[in-house]
Structures are given as structure tokens and as C-alpha cells.
């Protein structure tokens, strides 16, 4: 195995703390293009690292939270039709983060609404930026501990079925592309690591 160059960072913290010289883009102007109920779109004029102008299309979004709830080796998932993919998906219970909302509160709310499950404790395991090339949307993923079951109360425009799938099957489904939702894949691997 070849030796690494001397200037190779030795850790994530070191790599992230290096100066952004020659890499940073500077926003010159923002032009709002569209705003909906969940996100807004803007076009940004930027100065690229080489000093040349550039344009970036960006989607601003508050993000969301999702919860991995495991019982008897099975992961709680919701079956939901996603128009953007034109197909049925299997996802962990999740929803959008309201502006200024505490992520753990959002996760607890979504878990209870969609499944009726209430966790004694939620453990944050990851924050995922799914499409960093064009959006600031981040999803916080939590593991649920100490589950109790109560009646579900989904939003009036939310149509989901709750299913419990063996964790190993979820991992296999992610590997073959049957489950493609990023937060669900992250949650499944986090739950697997938790043991």
C-alpha cells in the first residue's frame, strides 16, 4: 500500500478545519424564484474560487426528522405512496421540521402521529444532507428507546400503513434498491450497529 502524502489530514476534524482557500464560493446576490408551503427556491449569483461568476439554483428547506423504532429485531416502517418516485416506499416514521422547532420534539411528534409509538428516550444518531448540490435540507435521524404503543393520529392528508420488517430484511432491501430512502437506510444501519 503506498504511503499517504504528508499533508493528508489524519481525522475528519482536521480535514474540516483546514482553510477553505481556493475552494470557497462567495454569494453575491440571491434572487427568490418560488415559495411553496414546504420549501422555497432561489437563484444565487456567486463568485467562484477562481474569481469568475457563477449561478447556483438552491432549494431552502427547514429539514426533517425520522425515527428508527426497533422491537423484537424488527424495524417499524411506514408504507407510503411517493408521487415524486411514482411508487410505494418503505420509510421510517418522519416528517418536516417546523421553523425553530427542537428536532427531538419533531421526531417524537412524527413517531406518535404516524405509528402511535411513544419513546421514553430518543437518541440522535445522524444528520444527513441528502442532496447537498442544490438544497440545505438536512434530516436528523434518531433511535427510539423504551417504546410504548398508543393510538396513531396521522395528519388528515397523510395516508400510511405501519409495518414491522426484520432489520436484516431492511438492510438487504437497501442493498438491492428496494428501499431507497436515505434516512431509512441510515436508520437501519444505525439500529443494526446498536445491536
Amino acid at each position: 500500500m503506498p504511503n499517504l502524502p504528508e499533508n493528508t489530514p489524519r481525522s475528519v476534524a482536521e480535514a474540516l478545519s483546514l482553510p477553505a482557500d481556493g475552494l470557497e464560493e462567495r454569494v453575491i446576490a440571491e434572487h427568490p424564484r418560488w415559495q411553496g408551503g414546504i420549501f422555497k427556491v432561489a437563484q444565487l449569483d456567486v463568485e467562484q474560487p477562481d474569481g469568475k461568476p457563477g449561478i447556483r439554483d438552491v432549494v431552502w428547506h427547514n429539514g426533517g426528522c425520522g425515527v428508527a423504532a426497533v422491537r423484537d429485531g424488527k424495524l417499524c416502517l411506514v408504507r407510503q405512496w411517493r408521487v415524486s418516485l411514482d411508487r410505494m416506499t418503505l420509510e421510517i416514521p418522519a416528517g418536516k421540521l417546523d421553523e425553530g422547532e427542537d428536532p427531538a420534539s419533531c421526531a417524537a411528534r412524527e413517531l406518535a402521529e404516524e405509528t402511535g409509538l411513544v419513546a421514553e428516550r430518543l437518541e440522535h444518531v445522524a444528520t444527513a444532507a441528502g442532496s447537498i448540490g442544490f438544497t440545505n435540507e438536512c434530516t436528523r435521524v434518531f433511535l427510539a428507546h423504551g417504546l410504548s404503543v398508543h393510538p396513531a393520529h396521522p395528519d388528515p392528508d397523510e395516508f400510511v400503513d405501519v409495518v414491522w420488517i426484520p432489520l436484516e430484511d431492511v438492510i438487504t432491501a437497501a442493498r438491492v434498491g428496494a428501499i431507497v430512502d436515505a434516512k431509512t437506510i441510515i436508520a437501519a444501519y444505525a439500529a443494526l450497529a446498536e445491536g
Side-chain angles (χ1 to χ4, degrees):
M1 175 183 241
N3 290 334
L4 296 174
E6 285 186 31
N7 64 348
T8 299
R10 292 182 176 88
S11 69
V12 170
E14 186 178 333
L16 290 174
S17 68
L18 293 172
D21 301 340
L23 299 173
E24 186 174 6
E25 291 189 346
R26 190 168 62 90
V27 176
I28 306 300
E30 180 175 341
H31 310 284
R33 296 297 187 222
W34 182 84
Q35 181 160 348
I38 297 175
F39 61 87
K40 58 186 176 182
V41 178
Q43 191 170 70
L44 307 179
D45 297 333
V46 300
E47 179 183 306
Q48 298 177 86
D50 62 1
K52 294 179 182 173
I55 295 174
R56 303 290 179 258
D57 294 324
V58 178
V59 175
W60 302 120
H61 188 288
N62 288 334
C65 298
V67 182
V70 180
R71 184 176 65 190
D72 300 325
K74 295 179 179 179
L75 182 63
C76 180
L77 299 175
V78 293
R79 293 177 68 240
Q80 187 169 5
W81 187 266
R82 292 296 191 180
V83 166
S84 58
L85 298 179
D86 193 31
R87 64 177 267 200
M88 183 68 68
T89 63
L90 288 171
E91 305 172 39
I92 58 171
K96 74 178 185 66
L97 187 63
D98 292 329
E99 190 170 342
E101 183 178 19
D102 172 64
S105 297
C106 173
R109 180 188 73 242
E110 292 297 333
L111 180 65
E113 284 178 2
E114 293 183 8
T115 69
L117 296 171
V118 175
E120 289 177 8
R121 181 173 66 87
L122 291 171
E123 174 189 359
H124 179 259
V125 294
T127 298
S131 297
I132 57 177
F134 73 91
T135 182
N136 69 334
E137 179 185 10
C138 288
T139 301
R140 286 90 172 158
V141 179
F142 293 83
L143 283 177
H145 299 278
L147 293 171
S148 59
V149 181
H150 303 270
H153 50 281
D155 291 333
D157 62 348
E158 192 168 41
F159 302 94
V160 298
D161 287 332
V162 176
V163 295
W164 291 86
I165 306 292
L167 191 51
E168 276 81 26
D169 288 358
V170 175
I171 298 292
T172 299
R175 287 182 178 157
V176 300
I179 291 179
V180 296
D181 177 60
K183 69 184 174 299
T184 301
I185 295 168
I186 291 166
Y189 277 101
L192 187 66
E194 184 83 359

